[in-house]
Amino acid sequence: MSDDHSHPDLKHHVPLSERAKRAIAIHRLLVAKGIIGPAEVESVIDQVRTRSPADGAKVVARAWTDPAYKGRLLSDSRSAVLELGYRLSRDADLAVVENTAGVHHLVVCTLCSCYPTALLGPPPDWYKSFAYRQRAVVEPRAVLREFGTELDECARVRVVDSTADLRYLVLPRRPGGTDGMSEVELAGLVTRDSMVGVGEAKTP
Ligand code: FE
């Protein structure tokens, strides 16, 4: 087959890793079989690269300031996110889970690295690490402590396992002392870690 997948920047004298060779072979096969178009992978990567935790933060800030929106976000997360103009993959559903005084959610993908990239951008390296994927389910409180998150003893920790079909986003608790703040100011308190559940939103 002809190679219409050229990377002008790629230095061909650098040997490719086995993983990179496998990824290129799979890409070529998918294109050859007509399952995806030649530019489709790049287009998806571009979509992910243009997203960042600031996008998820806008969704959280809206939920903090608009109780009706929050209700929709928790009951039908996909529609509520689309409402704000975000695009979600057709193949993966989204569930937003709410942290309260009584229950703290921690998101992991035990199998690989499934993550709500449409709202947070690419996942951090630690999220993809074997150590996090294993320890988040075995000793979540110890993991939280390492991220500097001390929970109330009576708070329950609920670990949710993201998959290729369903990705989780945490709606962190709104910090105290934020009553007069605007939606934009509130969004500035929402960190990536608070939406994965390893941290909490910043206090002003
Ligand atoms: Fe995964």
Side-chain angles (χ1 to χ4, degrees):
M1 63 176 278
S2 70
D3 185 1
D4 50 5
H5 180 82
S6 63
H7 284 282
D9 307 337
L10 204 64
K11 294 183 180 68
H12 283 286
H13 59 271
V14 177
L16 292 171
S17 68
E18 286 307 309
R19 190 177 286 200
K21 284 184 201 161
R22 195 188 323 148
I24 291 169
I26 292 170
H27 188 184
R28 282 185 182 156
L29 262 175
L30 290 170
V31 173
K33 289 182 179 292
I35 296 167
I36 59 171
E40 210 166 315
V41 171
E42 278 80 359
S43 139
V44 170
I45 291 170
D46 278 348
Q47 272 176 44
V48 171
R49 282 208 185 116
T50 57
R51 299 271 76 100
S52 79
D55 295 297
K58 285 182 193 160
V59 175
V60 168
R62 175 65 59 89
W64 281 349
T65 52
D66 180 344
Y69 181 78
K70 178 179 151 184
R72 294 198 293 283
L73 184 65
L74 296 174
S75 62
D76 184 357
S77 307
R78 166 176 283 272
S79 303
V81 164
L82 296 180
E83 216 181 286
L84 295 192
Y86 289 106
R87 288 174 60 190
L88 293 176
S89 148
R90 277 168 286 132
D91 313 316
D93 213 345
L94 175 78
V96 177
V97 286
E98 183 185 18
N99 279 353
T100 63
V103 58
H104 182 96
H105 293 85
L106 177 67
V107 182
V108 65
C109 172
T110 53
L111 191 65
C112 43
S113 57
C114 299
Y115 190 74
T117 50
L119 291 172
L120 298 183
D125 287 340
W126 57 258
Y127 185 83
K128 299 184 272 187
S129 71
F130 181 69
Y132 178 75
R133 285 157 42 210
Q134 187 188 45
R135 293 186 56 221
V137 282
V138 177
E139 44 175 356
R141 278 179 195 271
V143 170
L144 285 168
R145 232 172 280 126
E146 284 168 32
F147 276 91
T149 307
E150 285 287 348
L151 293 182
D152 208 74
E153 269 307 307
C154 46
R156 200 160 58 86
V157 178
R158 187 173 165 236
V159 180
V160 286
D161 197 358
S162 272
T163 66
D165 300 324
L166 178 62
R167 281 105 201 259
Y168 288 97
L169 182 87
V170 174
L171 174 61
R173 294 169 70 190
R174 178 172 172 163
T178 57
D179 278 358
M181 289 178 74
S182 71
E183 204 175 310
V184 173
E185 289 170 327
L186 286 167
L189 303 175
V190 184
T191 61
R192 175 195 66 200
D193 287 3
S194 71
M195 292 180 280
V196 180
V198 292
E200 293 179 285
K202 292 186 279 188
T203 42

